[in-house]
Amino acid sequence: MGAEVVSPSKIDESLISEPYKYGFVTDIETETAPKGLSEETVRYISAKKNEPEWLLQKRLEAYRAWLAMTPPDWAKVSFPPIDYQDAHYYAAPKKKEGPKSLDEVDPELLKTYEKLGIPLREQEILAGVTPSVAVDAVFDSVSVATTYKKVLQEKGVIFCSLSEAIHDHPDLVKKYLGSVVPAHDNFYAALNAAVFTEGSFVYVPKGVRCPMELSTYFRINAANTGQFERTLIIADDGAYVSYLEGCTAPKRDEHQLHAAVVELVAHDRAEIKYATVQNWYPGDENGVGGIYNFVTKRGLCRGVASKISWTQVETGSAITWKYPSCVLQGDGSVGAFYSVAITNNCQQADTGTKMIHLGKNTRSTIISKGISAGRSQATYRGLVKIARTAHGARNKTQCDSLLIGDQCGAHTFPTIEQRDPTARVEHEATTSKVSEEQLFYCQQRGLSAEDAMALIVNGFCREVMQELPMEFAVEAQKLIGLSLEGSVG
Amino acid sequence: MLEIRDLQAGIEGKEILKGLSLSVPCGEVHAIMGPNGAGKSTLSYVLAGRPGYAVSQGSVTLDGKDLLALSPEERAAAGVFLAFQYPVEIAGVTNMNFLKTALNAVRRARGEGELDAMQMLKLLRGKAKDIGMSEDMLKRAVNVGFSGGEKKRNEVLQMAVLEPRLCVLDETDSGLDIDALRVVAEGVNALRSPDRSMLVITHYQRLLDYIKPDRVHVLAAGRIERSGGPELALELEEKGYGEVKKGRLA
Ligand SMILES: Nc1ncnc2c1ncn2[C@@H]1O[C@H](COP(=O)(O)OP(=O)(O)OP(=O)(O)O)[C@@H](O)[C@H]1O
Ligand SMILES: [Mg+2]
């Protein structure tokens, strides 16, 4: 044979010995709101952002509504009550003025994003070749940079931070903000409406196909800080946009709250594809630290034959509470939810979707893949609602759970409310285990146990992974492998 | 090349191999025959390092290297290939991706450098063609919905791609129709080479008409009961295991 034999598992050690490689902290001076939540805090944030009066009033309304609300208790997750007075609600890297161009962005921040693998420097645009992704980078409470704005502007596409949109496109923001997820929707949405600090704004005008993937990258850096971003995407008649959201946070021993709101509006024949690769710090193997990811995402298919799809790969967070939904109002509109949720160690995920069929001949597809390892708990919770008006509506739901080891749990809670007899709703659910036989088969062909597990799990998730934009599919596959670290053997 | 000495091994506390010794020199093909439940598959699993199989005594070396000290993937990298009696299904993973991942893993481990997507595609297409497998099969999930014969053919394809040093074929002929048997046997014969050894487990002389073994061994009750040339297989076919065993004792 001659050649020296090296264990393939050794080669990957560098990757595997560092399961959460985004756990570093950027050393940068930050300006932080005093701890605690009050009307004062809300006013402080609004003033910091130099907001118009109408928005401050909206925030205060939301804050008062929130005071009267209680956190939802129906999810299959458990954690000690959160002390909302013990966190900061605003943190921003110190700077003189908002950066006008990339050259003005703090080099320390540019380095951070480089380390995270997020391209913040625009590549030179060659004749006729459009770059494939534009990025808006949000660091703690502020947007630090948005790339390729010019190229997008030529097409009439607005892609900027929400704060900028509030100043530059107030009519659009006023018209749509809170129109899909109103402040009183739920406890976390109300909290967000009161103290949201940043997010992305997208508007694609009539008949325009957005020429590149749009992407927002959220990073929590400061300690004891909640992140409350708010994203608003509008696709006007016949428009098309594909959007990706990514997120990471440093390793910290305290839990940090992330309560975001995302609103999508699709007009006649418009299509919005929204993908998330969620990799917030999940906590350590004993459940110390990690992000509480309590998020409200909803899309409104307002126009006829409009389409909205949610694709999510959820690998991070200590606790995930998240149900990206579609309200299918326009006749013939189409909603989809494709989800991979992986939990390992002590993670808990309660995630799923709601498909609300209002219009005639509306269609929805749900594919949910839950993978649980370690001592984790993964729950799928779904609602398919067919209103009396939704003649000829169709839904197809497929829920698959995969268990790794015997200390984890997978649960499925599908709810169907059908008011129209002509609608057709199909639901299928399976639960399986990664078999010792499959692992051995792969190992016999030369794969390490970890690589074998990653391959099998990626295979299990295939239908969902193929919905991700090409640019991110490979990353997401690697992420699945990394988040299963320690689950074999 | 392969040296098995006084191997005792079992599973779940049950001893199945009871002092088995066997040596397969470089370049030779040895057939192993024996009644159901004799321990043939157990031997193949012990050689490949399947978890759960415990070795209580004896040694196994490949080119002098102690196989028993290696993990299953290290054995694969060292050149051990097992064509499974019951190939395993992996949903959602295409045959193409599986072969690519496996080949690059062993190439890395052997210090040979990975192949890029184009090189890989060319290689896999060529090998599939040799074994009479359509490109369509490369795009399907590993063994999912494959017929019994297609699964066996797929094992031989993997073997051809991974270019092992020691091939262990566990009843690769079972479930094949006459034509498939010939194609598969040709595939195996094409892999015969002076620096590759093969252990062919079978119940049927028919396979040995195509793959001419250098030696034939009878494995019964966890041991090699008898060894001989190709004519031993003919004798077995004629008389059955009971008679042959008696013949040895007489
Ligand atoms: N997990 C197990 N627990 C207990 N006994 C087992 C286990 N696996 C295999 N055996 C037993 O070990 C013995 C040898 O099995 P093995 O599969 O090696 O036989 P074989 O020679 O390959 O038979 P065949 O020709 O039918 O394929 C059988 O009696 C079988 O029942
Ligand atoms: Mg057998």
Side-chain angles (χ1 to χ4, degrees):
Chain A
M1 169 113 289
E4 198 202 343
V5 179
V6 183
S7 155
S9 58
K10 288 214 178 80
I11 292 166
D12 284 345
E13 221 161 65
S14 56
L15 266 179
I16 285 168
S17 62
E18 206 187 350
Y20 194 78
K21 62 175 176 171
Y22 310 101
F24 63 90
V25 179
T26 305
D27 187 13
I28 195 160
E29 241 192 294
T30 40
E31 181 172 22
T32 320
K35 263 190 186 175
L37 182 51
S38 61
E39 272 202 30
E40 216 83 320
T41 320
V42 176
R43 286 178 193 281
Y44 175 97
I45 293 168
S46 192
K48 271 283 159 217
K49 305 195 88 73
N50 205 8
E51 283 175 356
E53 182 62 23
W54 65 266
L55 193 51
L56 172 63
Q57 288 313 320
K58 270 192 118 162
R59 285 178 181 276
L60 289 171
E61 256 171 58
Y63 172 69
R64 287 170 201 137
W66 176 76
L67 283 177
M69 294 167 95
T70 48
D73 58 1
W74 40 262
K76 201 174 165 54
V77 295
S78 61
F79 56 96
I82 298 172
D83 180 358
Y84 288 92
Q85 300 307 332
D86 192 34
H88 298 283
Y89 288 83
Y90 182 84
K94 256 193 192 150
K95 58 177 179 197
K96 302 109 227 161
E97 266 285 286
K100 294 282 176 299
S101 74
L102 283 177
D103 305 334
E104 292 174 31
V105 175
D106 190 315
E108 207 41 53
L109 285 177
L110 284 181
K111 258 195 260 162
T112 299
Y113 285 91
E114 229 162 75
K115 248 165 124 176
L116 296 168
I118 310 298
L120 279 196
R121 281 175 221 279
E122 295 188 14
Q123 290 149 329
E124 243 179 280
I125 297 169
L126 305 168
V129 185
T130 318
S132 59
V133 189
V135 179
D136 181 27
V138 176
F139 190 85
D140 289 333
S141 306
V142 294
S143 166
V144 292
T146 310
T147 63
Y148 298 113
K149 272 183 165 173
K150 281 222 180 66
V151 189
L152 292 167
Q153 257 161 25
E154 280 163 25
K155 291 265 185 184
V157 175
I158 304 169
F159 178 41
C160 61
S161 68
L162 187 60
S163 319
E164 272 174 84
I166 288 165
H167 291 108
D168 300 348
H169 311 281
D171 296 346
L172 284 172
V173 176
K174 212 169 168 176
K175 180 169 172 194
Y176 291 105
L177 192 74
S179 70
V180 187
V181 179
H184 53 79
D185 189 83
N186 68 68
F187 183 83
Y188 301 115
L191 178 62
N192 176 288
V195 301
F196 73 87
T197 42
E198 195 49 289
S200 295
F201 176 82
V202 176
Y203 174 78
V204 188
K206 281 194 172 105
V208 171
R209 208 184 148 82
C210 186
M212 58 180 105
E213 296 282 338
L214 302 184
S215 168
T216 299
Y217 194 85
F218 294 105
R219 171 82 177 163
I220 297 179
N221 187 63
N224 297 314
T225 307
Q227 183 156 357
F228 305 94
E229 85 266 356
R230 192 154 186 124
T231 296
L232 178 56
I233 300 177
I234 303 131
D236 217 324
D237 295 350
Y240 167 88
V241 63
S242 168
Y243 182 92
L244 183 113
E245 169 203 298
C247 19
T248 58
K251 287 185 181 180
R252 295 192 188 278
D253 288 346
E254 321 81 44
H255 293 289
Q256 280 178 284
L257 177 63
H258 171 253
V261 170
V262 176
E263 297 176 282
L264 312 181
V265 180
H267 288 276
D268 288 355
R269 291 179 183 79
E271 177 170 5
I272 303 175
K273 288 187 174 176
Y274 192 105
T276 306
V277 176
Q278 189 264 105
N279 187 23
W280 294 118
Y281 178 52
D284 71 6
E285 62 279 8
N286 298 312
V288 175
I291 302 289
Y292 289 163
N293 191 38
F294 301 157
V295 169
T296 307
K297 294 183 169 183
R298 195 171 304 150
L300 173 62
C301 279
R302 198 159 131 169
V304 296
S306 54
K307 287 186 185 169
I308 288 181
S309 73
W310 298 100
T311 304
Q312 60 174 25
V313 176
E314 304 277 316
T315 63
S317 296
I319 302 179
T320 298
W321 178 96
K322 174 177 174 189
Y323 316 89
S325 306
C326 296
V327 179
L328 304 170
Q329 182 181 307
D331 289 348
S333 58
V334 180
F337 174 72
Y338 306 106
S339 169
V340 168
I342 300 184
T343 52
N344 195 359
N345 298 316
C346 301
Q347 285 177 275
Q348 308 173 59
D350 193 302
T351 183
T353 186
K354 288 190 262 185
M355 292 291 170
I356 314 293
H357 292 253
L358 303 175
K360 289 190 199 65
N361 299 315
T362 44
R363 280 177 289 140
S364 64
T365 305
I366 298 172
I367 301 179
S368 161
K369 305 275 181 178
I371 300 107
S372 359
R375 285 166 287 156
S376 69
Q377 295 291 330
T379 299
Y380 168 81
R381 190 181 301 279
L383 170 67
V384 176
K385 192 169 181 169
I386 312 277
R388 239 180 283 278
T389 48
H391 304 300
R394 300 264 177 283
N395 162 267
K396 195 169 186 300
T397 300
Q398 170 78 46
C399 268
D400 300 318
S401 307
L402 185 69
L403 303 173
I404 300 171
D406 48 18
Q407 295 189 62
C408 54
H411 319 271
T412 305
F413 300 108
T415 307
I416 298 167
E417 284 177 27
Q418 189 169 348
R419 296 275 155 74
D420 181 278
T422 64
R424 207 164 67 210
V425 178
E426 292 169 51
H427 178 90
E428 265 179 60
T430 66
T431 301
S432 51
K433 279 197 147 201
V434 173
S435 71
E436 177 271 328
E437 207 177 24
Q438 284 179 320
L439 283 173
F440 174 60
Y441 190 64
C442 294
Q443 283 178 275
Q444 207 306 298
R445 300 306 186 238
L447 277 67
S448 66
E450 286 86 2
D451 289 352
M453 185 62 87
L455 186 81
I456 293 165
V457 171
N458 268 303
F460 173 76
C461 303
R462 194 168 119 94
E463 294 147 281
V464 173
M465 301 301 275
Q466 66 195 13
E467 295 296 329
L468 282 177
M470 277 286 275
E471 288 83 354
F472 304 104
V474 178
E475 271 307 301
Q477 267 178 32
K478 279 193 214 147
L479 195 56
I480 287 180
L482 285 175
S483 51
L484 290 168
E485 134 81 351
S487 66
V488 241
Chain B
M1 191 179 79
L2 175 70
E3 279 290 339
I4 306 174
R5 288 212 187 96
D6 190 28
L7 184 63
Q8 293 185 24
I11 182 161
E12 289 171 13
K14 181 179 168 187
E15 181 150 272
I16 296 165
L17 301 180
K18 299 165 182 164
L20 183 147
S21 297
L22 180 66
S23 73
V24 185
C26 226
E28 291 196 2
V29 174
H30 289 204
I32 293 191
M33 304 181 86
N36 294 131
K40 303 182 297 298
S41 293
T42 302
L43 172 63
S44 73
Y45 289 145
V46 171
L47 291 177
R50 181 164 188 160
Y53 287 79
V55 174
S56 49
Q57 199 179 301
S59 67
V60 179
T61 59
L62 185 67
D63 298 321
K65 206 179 315 155
D66 178 10
L67 271 191
L68 299 178
L70 303 180
S71 67
E73 65 269 28
E74 287 168 334
R75 296 183 201 201
V80 176
F81 182 93
L82 168 60
F84 284 57
Q85 183 173 1
Y86 305 106
V88 179
E89 300 183 0
I90 308 175
V93 177
T94 62
N95 232 347
M96 183 84 98
N97 187 23
F98 183 67
L99 285 163
K100 194 175 92 185
T101 311
L103 180 57
N104 275 336
V106 301
R107 285 185 67 97
R108 265 200 319 265
R110 292 171 187 170
E112 292 171 346
E114 298 189 15
L115 297 183
D116 66 32
M118 279 316 292
Q119 292 168 315
M120 190 63 83
L121 191 65
K122 212 172 143 218
L123 179 118
L124 296 183
R125 278 185 176 153
K127 300 274 186 191
K129 200 166 159 236
D130 292 344
I131 192 86
M133 197 186 257
S134 71
E135 260 197 73
D136 222 40
M137 300 285 276
L138 288 177
K139 290 178 193 147
R140 283 173 55 182
V142 181
N143 294 324
V144 177
F146 285 27
S147 75
E150 286 168 342
K151 284 183 182 171
K152 296 302 176 74
R153 206 182 281 223
N154 204 23
E155 293 292 288
V156 179
L157 170 66
Q158 293 175 22
M159 187 164 95
V161 169
L162 294 174
E163 301 189 326
R165 284 274 281 149
L166 172 71
C167 305
V168 182
L169 293 96
D170 192 357
E171 296 196 29
T172 303
D173 54 332
S174 311
L176 293 181
D177 65 39
I178 308 286
D179 292 342
L181 181 68
R182 211 187 52 241
V183 176
V184 164
E186 275 166 10
V188 172
N189 281 331
L191 287 170
R192 282 181 96 142
S193 101
D195 47 24
R196 179 173 292 137
S197 307
M198 296 192 186
L199 214 46
V200 180
I201 298 170
T202 182
H203 285 297
Y204 306 105
Q205 158 61 28
R206 199 183 49 175
L207 177 70
L208 305 179
D209 286 341
Y210 293 107
I211 304 174
K212 292 263 179 310
D214 297 291
R215 303 278 293 163
V216 175
H217 308 277
V218 178
L219 199 171
R223 239 183 238 124
I224 302 295
E225 292 271 350
R226 242 186 107 177
S227 300
E231 70 288 346
L232 178 56
L234 292 167
E235 193 188 330
L236 281 169
E237 182 104 322
E238 207 178 302
K239 299 182 181 160
Y241 293 116
E243 286 296 314
V244 169
K245 200 170 155 186
K246 263 189 242 151
R248 186 190 68 111
L249 292 173

